[in-house]
Amino acid sequence: MKQASQRVKDILNRMSVEEKALQLSCVMPSFVLEQGVFDRKRAEKEMPKGIGRMTQFAAGFSEGPEQAAKGYNEIQKYMIEKCGLPALIQNESSSGTVAADATIFPVPIALASTFEPELSYKMGKVIADEGKAIGVHAMMSPVADISRDARWGRVDETFGEDPLLSARFTSEEVRGIQGEDYTKHCQALAKHWVGYGASEGGINCATINIGKKELFEVYATPFAAAIQENDMQSIMVTYSEIDGRPMSINPEYTQKILREDLGFTGIAVCDGLSIPRVIETQGISASREELAGMALKAGIDADTMITTVYNHIVEGVKQGLVDEKDLDAAVLRTLQAREEMGLFDNPFVDPTKAKEIYDDPTADALSEEIAQKSIVLLKNDGILPLQNEKKKIALIGPFATRLQTFFGGYAYPAMMGSFLEMCVDPSVAVHMEGFREMAQRMFDIESMKAKMYKDPSKSFAQNFDDYLHETLGTMSLTDALQEELSNVEIVSYGASLNCENYKDHLEQAKQVAQDADIVVLALGEVTGQGKDATSGEGVNHPDLALPFHQEELVDIVHELGKPSVLVLFNGRALALGNVEPKVNAIVEAWYPGPAGGRPVAKVLSGRFNPQGHLPVTFPQISAQCPIYYGHKTGSGYMTIKQTADPAVMQPLYPFGYGLSYTNFELSNLHYDEHVETGASFKVSVDIKNTGAIAGSDVIQIYTHSKCPTINRPIKELRAFTTVDLQPNEKKTIEFELDTRAFGYFNFEDQFVIENRPQELFICDHSSDIVLRGEVQFVGKTKEILHDRVFNFKVEEK
């Protein structure tokens, strides 16, 4: 963001303390909407003088983009009338804009499994185009958290465990969302600064017990890349605390590290109610006036979702607890953002164009492409691909026929489905206090029921699946596999096992499998809300085994002696140590979004050769967590000799792992043996498809710092690329690596490149070194804190 203009400074100088405080405050659509329509009387009551920000904006409009765009214009007219300024509108978008009829994408962990960051850019552009069309200014993505503990419920929203992989996907999504002209695009509001994914024990919002060096080198890296490369405009600050200081009131991280060290100039937004959490849950601060001053001192520019602290700013100034200079700095940033987005001169949108932007078939095609490329083949003894012969396949398990479970918790169907289910079945709201009342007030429930709950004689789940099939064309795995294998008889049974009579369902599934030639088990876990959810925001479920008697279903099939394929639908690594020996193949499908079962069926049939690779490490048992490939030397499952430590349990599937229906050969490694610190060097390698069918593989380059002055990770990913190869085809791939990407804090707390050797590994995955070498960094140890590089170059020769 630029330095504040004179126009913005003049606006600030004319504002009272109360007006400034309102510009940092936030409401949800439920404050101003009555069943999807702007209600001026409610607005007058809830915010008589206007307000500066609204969050989760589009969720309040169930009739589609034109309704949302009209509602946005009404809201902005009101805000401008009351305070002379347009409000900043933000909206969730990690799996696409959370809005009716918007494009829905697979979860980010699936996107990362493609190892193709260009897809992240394309997705970001769709998100921005659709958000901008209905009046959204800040898209609440990407989720830039590093997730190294699968017990954490929000892994599916992230790009995985590796700082480089996450940095590339984060930065590319930011580039897609923001573009080069902010008047035509949106802010990217990256989440969650910083270390949220490392909360102790995987518990949501728990303390972060990680040293400052690791937080900066690993967890801050995706944010740093997006700031440096694409001038990321906004950041959401996490709930968690570091060394006793919650991030919402932590000036060391939100001011010094974020703004001074990383050069962030944009808006820092608190996570939903994270400022009041400081006093209500963490027990810090004597009053909300004092807390407001502490949050402003830390540089928090917006109090979301619903303001309960910044409405005490005026009294805080009077009591000397709020420094008005801190207040002015925050307001200045929010005003400057509005000017750069052109909102002072053109705050409205054209509702007639919104539907046209939403009706873009190429966006849906992109979503399905991501879903297809994200599928990871984890095990295959030769049973796959399934042949289109006259045989009988039994498809059983909770995911065999359900459609709603294909979506991540922050996808529009998952969110709206959970809201509607609360209203249809009040017992569901027990775990989400107050949400049912908010939903009834904000949404046109009868209109939603007309779409999503047409037949009261059916269960809510059946009704909602009908809606997904009719509106999105989502196809169950059963139907998709039958369509794919037209000559095969498919029989299925897909009841949930999370019920008192689960034994009856197990018995019926057994009967379906009894006469089949092959059994496909559609298993996994549900993310989001509701009684079946074992992951998602605020869901703390540390057992990573297949939930709700699903392992018993695997045992039944195994005891029948049937060949079996396990298809997983999940958003985080699961502990499959008990299951893996009992099945012949395992396919990781993640949450594929509206494409549903189609991409999986294509992989099972062999029409698409799987090419995804794991962005996270899969443990054998839950107790291995946290587990990740880049552990410190001497402190994990690999030894300094890059061999498996026999005294430590190895992961079931390591980071970077992924099989294919063909085979690849890596050879002919060449590299520059000496390079000056601060310069770049080249590495080239040949890759050949030695199989009989076309396929794609991911070349992965890792390094290990030899003889450093401080302990370093056993391996660090330095470059990667996906290579498409026809049968017997060979390509030479040349990488250019910049030594400024190799920086770390030395013992004297200087961020440097040390003039020490780097072991070089060309890998099939993080635990399998195929080729190796050594590059000597020569010259002086070089300090590079403000000269870091987060990317690499790659070229096919």
Side-chain angles (χ1 to χ4, degrees):
M1 206 155 66
K2 301 174 183 176
Q3 291 289 323
S5 68
Q6 190 59 49
R7 179 186 189 182
V8 163
K9 292 177 182 177
D10 290 343
I11 293 172
L12 178 69
N13 290 335
R14 294 194 296 268
M15 296 173 75
S16 67
V17 172
E18 181 185 16
E19 289 171 330
K20 294 173 186 177
L22 284 171
Q23 289 307 306
L24 305 186
S25 299
C26 184
V27 295
M28 295 185 70
S30 58
F31 278 57
V32 300
L33 297 184
E34 187 67 39
Q35 297 184 345
V37 178
F38 176 73
D39 188 322
R40 186 179 180 90
K41 288 183 179 179
R42 294 195 59 220
E44 293 273 9
K45 178 181 177 182
E46 299 287 353
M47 45 181 195
K49 298 181 180 180
I51 208 160
R53 184 173 291 259
M54 179 177 288
T55 191
Q56 316 298 17
F57 159 77
F61 304 96
S62 59
E63 293 301 313
E66 190 168 352
Q67 183 197 35
K70 289 177 179 178
Y72 164 82
N73 285 342
E74 290 293 322
I75 290 169
Q76 287 294 44
K77 286 176 185 176
Y78 177 84
M79 297 298 186
I80 294 169
E81 175 189 326
K82 292 298 179 180
C83 62
L85 296 169
L88 281 169
I89 308 296
Q90 64 189 41
N91 207 80
E92 294 290 354
S93 58
S94 63
S95 292
T97 304
V98 178
D101 300 338
T103 305
I104 303 161
F105 291 95
V107 289
I109 199 70
L111 175 59
S113 299
T114 68
F115 276 67
E116 294 186 24
E118 179 68 15
L119 295 173
S120 193
Y121 163 74
K122 293 178 179 179
M123 184 186 79
K125 190 174 184 306
V126 171
I127 288 171
D129 288 343
E130 294 182 349
K132 189 73 171 179
I134 60 173
V136 179
H137 310 127
M139 309 309 302
M140 298 166 71
S141 63
V143 177
D145 293 296
I146 300 294
S147 53
R148 293 182 160 184
D149 189 337
R151 296 172 297 177
W152 187 50
R154 302 185 69 175
V155 173
D156 67 295
E157 300 174 46
T158 77
F159 298 125
E161 71 181 52
D162 180 74
L164 175 66
L165 188 70
S166 182
R168 297 311 334 131
F169 278 89
T170 295
S171 189
E172 286 301 300
E173 184 174 342
V174 169
R175 183 168 73 94
I177 291 173
Q178 294 189 169
E180 296 180 358
D181 183 350
Y182 296 151
T183 66
K184 297 179 181 178
H185 288 80
C186 304
Q187 289 186 342
L189 202 171
K191 304 187 288 188
H192 305 82
W193 177 261
V194 59
Y196 182 33
S199 59
E200 188 175 58
I203 299 171
N204 192 54
C205 305
T207 188
I208 299 168
N209 289 319
I210 292 179
K212 182 177 176 180
K213 289 183 174 67
E214 188 174 355
L215 274 168
F216 189 93
E217 294 172 10
V218 175
Y219 293 87
T221 291
F223 296 92
I227 291 166
Q228 184 192 96
E229 296 172 354
N230 292 298
D231 189 23
M232 185 163 61
Q233 294 289 290
S234 53
I235 276 178
M236 179 174 283
V237 176
T238 184
Y239 305 92
S240 307
E241 57 101 335
I242 299 171
D243 289 335
R245 193 76 163 176
M247 289 299 298
S248 296
I249 55 169
N250 196 326
E252 180 181 6
Y253 281 88
T254 53
Q255 292 284 48
K256 182 187 182 302
I257 293 177
L258 181 58
R259 296 191 186 278
E260 295 178 21
D261 293 344
L262 299 185
F264 178 67
T265 60
I267 294 174
V269 179
C270 80
D271 205 342
L273 301 176
S274 67
I275 299 178
R277 176 184 169 84
V278 171
I279 194 169
E280 294 171 1
T281 303
Q282 293 160 318
I284 300 171
S285 184
S287 68
R288 290 179 185 262
E289 290 79 10
E290 180 184 52
L291 182 57
M294 296 165 74
L296 287 168
K297 185 70 68 178
I300 305 299
D301 303 318
D303 181 6
T304 62
M305 298 179 300
I306 300 168
T307 294
T308 63
V309 173
Y310 277 6
N311 53 340
H312 293 267
I313 285 176
V314 175
E315 189 60 33
V317 170
K318 292 177 181 177
Q319 295 177 18
L321 297 172
V322 171
D323 189 332
E324 201 166 349
K325 290 181 180 178
D326 297 329
L327 175 61
D328 287 351
V331 175
L332 206 61
R333 285 189 287 265
T334 67
L335 294 174
Q336 182 63 27
R338 276 171 265 198
E339 182 179 62
E340 291 183 21
M341 285 189 281
L343 296 181
F344 290 152
D345 301 314
N346 186 22
F348 304 112
V349 297
D350 184 349
T352 62
K353 292 183 179 179
K355 191 174 187 305
E356 178 185 341
I357 291 172
Y358 275 55
D359 289 343
D360 182 1
T362 64
D364 294 326
L366 174 63
S367 176
E368 188 153 353
E369 178 186 359
I370 293 170
Q372 191 73 77
K373 290 182 174 181
S374 72
I375 295 172
V376 187
L377 181 61
L378 297 177
K379 180 180 180 179
N380 186 22
D381 68 358
I383 192 174
L384 293 177
L386 301 173
Q387 300 302 310
N388 196 355
E389 300 170 356
K390 290 184 178 180
K391 59 176 69 173
K392 188 175 184 179
I393 296 177
L395 180 52
I396 60 176
F399 290 80
T401 56
R402 284 293 308 276
L403 304 185
Q404 190 177 1
T405 48
F406 290 145
F407 298 87
Y410 269 106
Y412 180 78
M415 292 187 71
M416 299 309 293
S418 64
F419 280 129
L420 182 58
E421 190 172 11
M422 292 175 204
C423 299
V424 172
D425 180 3
S427 67
V428 175
V430 170
H431 302 294
M432 294 177 280
E433 185 177 352
F435 272 56
R436 179 172 179 260
E437 291 75 15
M438 182 193 74
Q440 288 177 322
R441 185 172 65 242
M442 182 166 66
F443 302 122
D444 184 345
I445 299 300
E446 292 306 313
S447 173
M448 290 171 64
K449 286 169 67 175
K451 292 181 178 181
M452 305 172 186
Y453 191 67
K454 291 182 177 180
D455 187 353
S457 68
K458 295 181 179 180
S459 69
F460 178 84
Q462 290 172 320
N463 272 285
F464 204 79
D465 277 2
D466 290 343
Y467 157 75
L468 293 172
H469 182 66
E470 291 169 7
T471 59
L472 300 178
T474 305
M475 186 179 288
S476 72
L477 182 56
T478 296
D479 291 341
L481 193 59
Q482 185 65 81
E483 184 177 276
E484 191 69 22
L485 301 175
S486 57
N487 294 331
V488 176
E489 180 186 0
I490 307 291
V491 291
S492 69
Y493 187 78
S496 170
L497 298 176
N498 182 23
C499 56
E500 291 183 0
N501 61 332
Y502 73 90
K503 290 184 179 179
D504 294 337
H505 292 311
L506 288 174
E507 180 60 31
Q508 292 184 62
K510 179 179 179 180
Q511 295 304 315
V512 170
Q514 191 85 44
D515 300 325
D517 299 296
I518 293 174
V519 178
V520 176
L521 292 145
L523 308 179
E525 67 172 357
V526 175
T527 188
Q529 304 296 332
K531 67 183 181 70
D532 288 338
T534 53
S535 69
E537 183 169 9
V539 180
N540 298 308
H541 188 83
D543 186 355
L544 300 176
L546 288 168
F548 306 131
H549 313 289
Q550 293 183 53
E551 286 196 4
E552 294 176 47
L553 187 58
V554 176
D555 290 339
I556 288 171
V557 173
H558 182 62
E559 289 166 5
L560 288 173
K562 299 291 182 180
S564 60
V565 178
L566 170 58
V567 179
L568 291 170
F569 296 96
N570 52 297
R572 57 180 179 170
L574 297 178
L576 304 173
N578 293 333
V579 171
E580 188 273 340
K582 300 173 184 177
V583 296
N584 300 87
I586 302 177
V587 175
E588 174 57 80
W590 306 112
Y591 297 122
R598 289 193 302 270
V600 183
K602 290 177 184 178
V603 166
L604 294 178
S605 73
R607 188 147 67 99
F608 186 87
N609 193 349
Q611 65 180 70
H613 287 68
L614 291 179
V616 288
T617 301
F618 272 51
Q620 296 190 50
I621 60 175
S622 301
Q624 281 180 280
C625 292
I627 185 170
Y628 50 95
Y629 87 88
H631 60 76
K632 290 294 183 67
T633 304
S635 297
Y637 59 84
M638 300 293 287
T639 72
I640 195 170
K641 296 180 180 179
Q642 301 293 333
T643 57
D645 188 336
V648 180
M649 182 181 288
Q650 297 297 300
L652 183 61
Y653 298 115
F655 173 89
Y657 183 87
L659 302 177
S660 171
Y661 293 150
T662 188
N663 297 301
F664 303 95
E665 179 181 85
L666 295 167
S667 64
N668 201 25
L669 172 63
H670 290 284
Y671 56 91
D672 297 332
E673 296 185 4
H674 296 83
V675 58
E676 289 278 343
T677 54
S680 298
F681 64 100
K682 292 182 178 181
V683 177
S684 68
V685 64
D686 291 347
I687 182 170
K688 182 178 181 180
N689 180 353
T690 59
I693 63 172
S696 301
D697 197 21
V698 177
I699 299 176
Q700 301 165 46
I701 298 181
Y702 298 81
T703 65
H704 171 69
S705 301
K706 288 185 70 176
C707 312
T709 60
I710 198 166
N711 195 9
R712 298 296 303 148
I714 194 72
K715 280 191 191 77
E716 295 177 85
L717 183 67
R718 296 301 186 187
F720 56 88
T721 192
T722 300
V723 185
D724 302 323
L725 294 163
Q726 295 298 313
N728 208 40
E729 183 180 12
K730 181 171 72 173
K731 292 181 179 179
T732 298
I733 310 299
E734 184 178 86
F735 297 88
E736 184 175 340
L737 310 183
D738 195 313
T739 59
R740 290 174 297 170
F742 288 65
Y744 51 81
F745 283 107
N746 62 14
F747 191 68
E748 288 79 27
D749 281 346
Q750 300 167 319
F751 197 84
V752 299
I753 319 166
E754 291 192 316
N755 54 354
R756 304 297 174 100
Q758 292 284 334
E759 290 185 282
L760 178 69
F761 311 122
I762 311 299
C763 295
D764 186 52
H765 55 77
S766 60
S767 290
D768 182 21
I769 299 172
V770 180
L771 303 168
R772 61 198 305 163
E774 184 171 301
V775 178
Q776 176 68 56
F777 286 6
V778 298
K780 295 181 178 180
T781 292
K782 188 177 181 66
E783 190 163 5
I784 59 158
L785 179 63
H786 300 288
D787 193 28
R788 298 172 71 190
V789 169
F790 304 94
N791 204 352
F792 53 87
K793 297 177 182 178
V794 60
E795 183 179 358
E796 288 188 7
K797 293 292 189 178

